[in-house]
């Protein structure tokens, strides 16, 4: 969810080799929470199921005109499915591939909140501390707690919905933004409701939590996340960029969140406007590992992880939001969206199953994020009792009414690359 300007998510080629059978990483194997037995309801990811998944993904790809998408599924004892469809570059026709880096939008929130919760475990901050203890000038700063910020119940205005912010970003999408500039866009608006009254997805909350991590951690947010989250989790293809840098190889990303409203290439846009809420970069395999680490609490004490997974209700049946993490009909994790890219990384404890989906556009289809449409189609096949379905109002980063445009359909979509692994 984070989709620019309006959001950061709740808001990437040669043929890939067959994925290796699932092997738990050291971080996954040391999870403190007990692992349930794999669900017998989750099917073997064999050739027959792969064919069903191929057809479903192709159908969504065609209906949404998404240029390219990679879908990864892994389940204990059931094998894996990793396939790429469509193109990574609409100009050259280079195929989408599972080994590409991608911008992950609001999945960044899961890293920022993990850093915060580690500081909680160290006794350096408290979840019920008021934000005013760490950052001055916050409306209701003496009553909004860190817990309410992480749980999206602060009542603060979402800076990415501010018209002036939208104009500034789309008029010069390569410009950098500072955290204080982002907060200024928010704080000129009155608070929306008293802290804790209701759920309201808001990127402003994460900018504040990023500043808390910096103050309590004694270093920059990027450095703290690298040293205390990425390195311990073994994620060597995930990074917090300082500016617009984007490791190769990566797919080109396409967006209609533009000054003209037409679809443009957003690959090199500066993601600093998302900072702690949506600036990070990763890839399919790192997101696979992270989804399980996040859901099982490997980096936190059991007590703190339990607080993270205390999902409060939203207005959408089947969906709850914890501390920088959501649950959608049993799937635990987050999604992300920002100009040009979308991603989903979630874990289903009942089946010890992980699903990661990355794509190179954020153009909505009939008001829905395409990443959600892919995830829904996939889970209808493999987990019909746990269908991933995030309503746009809950997870979409495009919370601002930016001009809309339709992405041109790719010409003949290439065959998927990759093969299911038994």
């Amino acid at each position: 969810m984070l989709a620019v300007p309006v959001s950061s998510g709740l808001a990437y080629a040669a043929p890939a080799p067959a994925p290796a059978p699932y092997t738990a990483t050291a971080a996954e194997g040391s999870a403190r929470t007990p692992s349930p037995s794999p669900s017998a309801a989750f099917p073997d990811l064999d050739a027959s199921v792969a064919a069903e998944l191929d057809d479903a993904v192709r159908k969504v790809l065609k209906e949404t005109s998404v240029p390219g998408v990679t879908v990864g599924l892994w389940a204990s004892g059931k094998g894996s499915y990793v396939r790429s469809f469509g193109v990574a570059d609409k100009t050259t026709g280079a195929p989408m591939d599972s080994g590409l880096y991608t911008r992950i939008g609001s999945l960044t929130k899961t890293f920022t909140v993990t850093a915060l919760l580690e500081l909680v475990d160290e006794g350096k901050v408290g979840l019920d501390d008021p934000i005013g203890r760490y950052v001055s000038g916050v409306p209701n700063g003496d009553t909004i707690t860190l817990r309410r910020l992480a749980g999206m119940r602060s009542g603060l205005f979402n800076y990415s919905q501010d018209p002036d912010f939208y104009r500034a970003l789309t008029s010069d999408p390569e410009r950098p933004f500072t955290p204080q500039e982002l907060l200024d866009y928010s704080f000129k608006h009155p608070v929306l409701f008293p802290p804790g009254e209701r759920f309201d997805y808001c990127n402003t909350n994460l900018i504040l939590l990023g500043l808390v991590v910096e103050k309590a951690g004694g270093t920059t947010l990027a450095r703290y996340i690298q040293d205390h989250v990425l390195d311990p989790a073994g994620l060597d293809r995930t990074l917090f960029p300082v500016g617009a840098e984007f490791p190769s190889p990566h797919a080109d990303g396409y967006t209609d969140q533009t000054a003209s409203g037409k679809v443009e290439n957003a690959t090199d846009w500066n993601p600093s406007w998302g900072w702690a809420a949506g600036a990070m970069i990763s890839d399919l395999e790192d997101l696979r590992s992270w989804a399980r680490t996040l859901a099982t609490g490997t980096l936190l004490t059991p007590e703190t992880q339990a607080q993270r997974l205390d999902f409060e209700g939203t207005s959408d049946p089947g969906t709850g939001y914890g501390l920088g993490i959501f649950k959608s009909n049993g799937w635990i994790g987050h999604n992300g969206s920002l100009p040009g890219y979308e991603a989903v990384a979630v874990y289903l404890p009942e089946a010890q199953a992980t699903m990661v989906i990355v794509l190179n556009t954020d153009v909505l289809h009939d008001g829905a994020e395409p990443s959600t449409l892919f995830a829904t189609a996939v889970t209808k096949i493999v987990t019909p009792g746990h269908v991933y379905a995030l309503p746009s109002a809950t997870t979409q980063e495009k919370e601002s009414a930016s001009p809309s445009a339709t992405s041109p359909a790719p010409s003949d979509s290439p065959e998927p690359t990759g093969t299911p692994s038994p």
Side-chain angles (χ1 to χ4, degrees):
M1 296 159 66
L2 192 181
V4 84
V6 14
S7 264
S8 250
L10 216 146
Y12 318 66
Y22 180 79
T23 302
T25 65
E28 292 171 339
S30 61
R32 295 184 176 91
T33 54
S35 298
S37 299
S39 171
F42 198 100
D44 290 329
L45 294 171
D46 56 19
S48 175
V49 172
E52 284 188 73
L53 291 168
D54 287 352
D55 289 344
V57 175
R58 285 195 190 98
K59 181 179 179 181
V60 176
L61 189 76
K62 180 177 180 180
E63 290 175 349
T64 60
S65 298
V66 165
V69 62
T70 294
V71 176
L73 276 174
W74 303 265
S76 181
K78 304 294 182 177
S80 60
Y81 170 94
V82 178
R83 297 286 186 100
S84 295
F85 302 77
V87 298
D89 185 326
K90 294 197 292 186
T91 299
T92 66
M96 196 65 167
D97 180 75
S98 62
L100 304 179
Y101 285 96
T102 189
R103 300 194 188 277
I104 62 172
S106 279
L107 270 159
T108 302
K109 292 177 171 68
T110 65
F111 293 95
T112 300
V113 173
T114 297
L116 175 77
L117 295 178
E118 289 182 333
L119 289 166
V120 170
D121 279 340
E122 294 173 12
K124 294 182 177 179
V125 301
L127 281 172
D128 295 313
D129 292 347
I131 183 61
R133 182 176 299 177
Y134 304 93
V135 182
S136 61
V138 182
N140 282 349
D142 58 340
T143 55
I144 296 174
T145 64
L146 307 188
R147 187 187 305 274
R148 290 309 185 194
L149 291 168
M152 300 296 176
R153 294 174 181 271
S154 71
L156 295 172
F157 184 86
N158 189 347
Y159 71 85
S160 58
Q161 291 182 303
D162 178 77
D164 292 334
F165 165 77
Y166 187 80
R167 282 190 289 271
L169 177 63
T170 55
S171 64
D172 184 11
E174 296 182 11
R175 65 163 284 185
F177 286 87
T178 67
Q180 188 58 55
E181 285 176 311
L182 302 175
L183 294 179
D184 289 344
Y185 286 115
S186 170
F187 295 169
K188 68 182 183 179
H189 297 271
V191 295
L192 304 178
F193 52 84
E197 182 176 272
R198 67 176 188 267
F199 173 88
D200 185 62
Y201 193 84
C202 177
N203 294 322
T204 305
N205 298 342
L206 269 291
I207 303 304
L208 290 168
L209 292 182
L211 292 173
V212 173
V213 171
E214 290 196 330
K215 185 168 186 177
T219 187
T220 65
L221 178 62
R223 184 74 262 165
Y224 193 90
I225 287 178
Q226 183 67 53
D227 293 344
H228 297 269
V229 182
L230 302 182
D231 288 347
L235 306 180
D236 58 7
R237 286 176 61 86
T238 302
L239 65 147
F240 199 123
V242 175
E245 64 269 25
F246 198 171
S248 294
H250 57 254
D252 279 15
Y254 303 91
T255 187
D256 62 354
Q257 296 197 71
T258 59
S260 67
K262 297 179 180 179
V263 175
E264 296 178 8
N265 190 314
T267 306
D268 296 320
W269 286 20
N270 192 325
S272 63
W273 69 268
W275 196 52
M280 290 179 68
I281 293 166
S282 190
D283 76 347
L284 188 81
E285 281 294 332
D286 265 16
L287 291 177
R288 167 195 175 185
S289 177
W290 179 241
R292 179 168 174 141
T293 296
L294 180 66
T296 57
T298 302
L299 301 180
L300 305 175
T301 64
E303 294 77 15
T304 299
Q305 177 69 0
Q307 292 186 75
R308 162 176 252 167
L309 300 185
D310 183 12
F311 297 102
E312 294 192 67
T314 68
S315 59
D316 306 306
T319 301
Y321 203 88
L323 302 181
I325 191 171
F326 66 66
K327 176 183 279 189
S328 174
N329 294 325
W331 290 94
I332 298 171
H334 218 288
N335 64 341
S337 173
L338 80 171
Y341 302 91
E342 288 193 348
V344 173
V346 288
Y347 181 75
L348 183 64
E350 289 86 346
Q352 296 183 33
T354 304
M355 176 174 65
V356 178
I357 297 173
V358 295
L359 52 146
N360 60 340
T361 187
D362 66 313
V363 177
L364 300 184
H365 177 70
D366 292 338
E369 290 191 336
S371 59
T372 294
L373 299 178
F374 283 109
T376 298
V378 167
T379 53
K380 281 182 177 179
I381 294 171
V382 296
T383 54
H386 298 281
V387 175
Y388 177 102
L390 287 178
S392 298
T394 299
T395 59
Q396 180 169 302
E397 293 179 356
K398 293 181 181 189
E399 292 155 354
S400 73
S402 57
S404 169
T406 301
S407 177
S411 48
D412 296 329
S413 179
E415 286 299 299
T417 59
T419 57
S421 176

